[in-house]
Amino acid sequence: VQLQASGGGLVQAGGSLRLSCAASGRTFRRYAIGWFRQAPGKEREFVATVSRTGSNTDYADSVKGRFTISRDNTENTVYLQMNSLKPEDTGNYYCAADQTQTDYYRPTLAGEYDYWGQGTQVTVSS
């Protein structure tokens, strides 16, 4: 599966952005999809993940209540709605895919994902 992330940009603190992760291939529904981010000089960190059908999700504590991950398997796309953005949300956001056996499983570790998109930059100004 090939992934393409988009929707990043420059936004003021308190604003919103919606990221999209578009996937190629007819087996998209077999994959859990995760979002990760990496700020300059920092390690890549987990943001959110969604299971194959979208029924199960997980979030990093730092984004709970502000970010929402969802997916549309008819469009082969996963979304990350980001509200109440903070300067510390700044970074390059990547989506990743992991083929899973159940709808419950949604990985939170970067090493569990097999496929990665190219990243989209999010900058939040104070």
Side-chain angles (χ1 to χ4, degrees), residues 8-27:
L10 173 64
V11 64
Q12 288 188 332
S16 298
L17 282 174
R18 187 175 81 157
L19 305 185
S20 298
C21 176
S24 63
R26 294 180 291 179
T27 59

Side-chain angles (χ1 to χ4, degrees), residues 56-70:
N56 297 288
T57 58
D58 270 319
Y59 298 90
D61 288 343
S62 59
V63 307
K64 279 181 183 176
R66 301 187 297 121
F67 291 12
T68 303
I69 189 170
S70 61

Side-chain angles (χ1 to χ4, degrees), residues 5 61 68 78 91 105 116 124:
D61 288 343
T68 303
V78 169
Y105 189 60
W116 290 81
V124 184

Side-chain angles (χ1 to χ4, degrees), residues 32-82:
I33 303 294
W35 283 98
F36 292 78
R37 66 188 181 190
Q38 188 167 19
K42 295 187 177 181
E43 294 187 354
R44 189 170 297 189
E45 65 173 355
F46 166 72
V47 175
T49 181
V50 61
S51 63
R52 301 189 308 183
T53 66
S55 297
N56 297 288
T57 58
D58 270 319
Y59 298 90
D61 288 343
S62 59
V63 307
K64 279 181 183 176
R66 301 187 297 121
F67 291 12
T68 303
I69 189 170
S70 61
R71 66 189 294 162
D72 183 345
N73 284 350
T74 65
E75 297 291 334
N76 279 15
T77 303
V78 169
Y79 303 99
L80 184 68
Q81 178 66 44
M82 307 187 296

